Amino acid sequence: MRNLAQLMQGLAGEWPLLLPLLVGGLAVWLLLPRPRPYPWYLGALAGGLSLFLAATLILRTSGVSPEVVLFYAFSGLALVGAGMLVTQHNPARAALSFTLVVLSTCGLFLLLGAPFLMAATIIVYAGAIIVTFLFVLMLAQQAGLSDADARSREPALATFTGFLLLATMLYVLKGYQRPGTVEELLGRTEAALALGSRDEMLPVVEPRQTDEERARNDRRLFKQAESVLNAAGLRDLARSAREAGEEWVVVELNAEAPADEKAKQSRQALEKLQRLLADHRERISERLTEARLPGVDDAEGRRLPAMSSLSGPPPTTPFREVRRDAAGRPELPAENSASLGRALFTEYLLPVEIGGTLLLIATVGAIAIAQRREPGRPA
Amino acid sequence: MAVTLHHFLVVGAALFALGLVGFLSRRNLIVMFLCAEMMLQGWRSTSSPSPAVPRQPARAGVRAVRHHRRRLRGGVRGALILMLYKRQGSLDVSLWQDLREADLDRTEDEEPLPPPPPAEQYPHLSPCRPGARPPRRREEPCLKPSMESSG
């Protein structure tokens, strides 16, 4: 009994995670097709409410930037399209909702910095596979309302299973989101640095700030810097980095300095921290990629010869030399597609050709399976 | 905080779970396969472009081979659906219940489907006799509309 009480307490403690899922599960269950369906606006209302709750409780962001707005737009569209795909009783409309999901997911790919993946997914999924499904739908016509479309198998159990899985996954993901990750600290450092201080703005533009506003900005910068530099996660990070053999410098803020001095110190401390964090992240990722990518160089360890720079960096470019933007991410490239093409035609030529042959064989097989046979002949 | 990897992972997980719900509950073969594709899409949206490990140009070739496999899957799946449809004459997956395990009961549909809406009734118009002229007076209409059934 005590375990049960502990379980209930644990569940109650996770209510920000569970509430949007409960409402979302209710929405999906209401909308699943039945011979006598519930009115659609009930499910739509519940769905909208669950999306809003998810945006405020689970996927919280601070600040309004193009990235945030686009993320909310694309993920909202993707989830709405997914809900429609699952609950539409007309299969042609379900196929179109799937197109909506694919297009929104490609927007998310673009936000993650994968332009080639976005383009290829749109071409392959929203282009070829949707058309394939619609053709199959045409060839396998159902006239009017049928068992296949108007009913669902075990709607309550299916919804419960799916959302139980989602709750488990989100709980595990939350465990990995704990502050102390490099990304979050970097984000907070950037937010703090973006506050601006008097010294930087003066050469560029005459600030129309009163003295109070300047003092307030400086105080905010100091507070932000304090909160970032004293974050518990940062100390853990520094400790683990020191154990791994890396050097981390301890930065201190002097609380008794005059206001100007405070702001300048904060700014310098934050910039130093930003460099350290970016280096650390690079080193972690480098180790990860090196561990996962055997055989980047050729047999003697030489780099493949560089062709013209127009076709992007060679695939064996070392990690540090890929062009990066200010945040440390590889720049969104034309280089991405160019280097992809280069890799396809130099390193991965054989797998590409084998893949093409497999495609051909699969096409022949698909035609053979789907061929119309005369009546009387064994299928 | 800005948009971090965690946010994208949550969206991918949600797409996966919704696809699972659809796959388990729908009865139309085509919609079931679309839901399976959406599960794949949700999984891929998190695994393929991952900012935690910035993309290496060298992984590009692996991704290209995966694109080939995706197209293979779509085509073969379509052929499979067509073959299943030809065997049964319907896209309902409940017709394949004989493939279930031996100790499970058949699931029967208890609630009947609503009756289809009655077909539209249009008035029948008898054609004109050959050589007929337009009427001079109202008493001799050429076309006699007769409503044989109430619409």
Side-chain angles (χ1 to χ4, degrees), chain B residues 18-35:
Chain B
L18 281 173
L20 179 68
V21 171
F23 189 76
L24 291 178
S25 65
R26 297 300 301 263
R27 281 168 61 152
N28 191 330
L29 277 174
I30 291 183
V31 178
M32 277 173 67
F33 280 121
L34 278 176
C35 294

Side-chain angles (χ1 to χ4, degrees), chain B residues 29-134:
Chain B
L29 277 174
I30 291 183
V31 178
M32 277 173 67
F33 280 121
L34 278 176
C35 294
E37 288 284 340
M38 188 163 75
M39 286 167 79
L40 272 171
Q41 189 73 8
W43 172 76
R44 268 196 329 124
S45 81
T46 55
S47 81
S48 295
S50 76
V53 179
R55 288 155 297 113
Q56 281 275 11
R59 289 190 72 73
V62 181
R63 218 182 304 149
V65 176
R66 285 197 192 129
H67 282 313
H68 278 88
R69 293 210 304 248
R70 225 165 282 143
R71 263 176 271 149
L72 278 176
R73 254 201 305 266
V76 175
R77 212 170 257 167
L80 183 65
I81 294 178
L82 271 179
M83 189 191 73
L84 293 174
Y85 170 72
K86 290 247 159 63
R87 296 265 178 159
Q88 284 286 357
S90 161
L91 281 176
D92 192 355
V93 82
S94 302
L95 298 173
W96 291 91
Q97 280 193 56
D98 294 332
L99 294 176
R100 72 186 185 281
E101 290 162 359
D103 54 347
L104 291 176
D105 295 327
R106 270 188 91 84
T107 49
E108 304 287 350
D109 297 322
E110 288 169 353
E111 228 179 311
L113 286 175
E120 287 224 36
Q121 301 283 356
Y122 296 107
H124 287 279
L125 304 176
S126 52
C128 272
R129 295 184 310 275
R133 285 194 205 154

Side-chain angles (χ1 to χ4, degrees), chain A residues 20-22 24-25 28 158-168, chain B residues 17-18 21:
Chain A
L21 292 184
L22 274 172
V28 171
T159 316
F160 176 69
T161 311
F163 279 86
L164 181 65
L165 177 68
L166 184 57
T168 320
Chain B
L18 281 173
V21 171

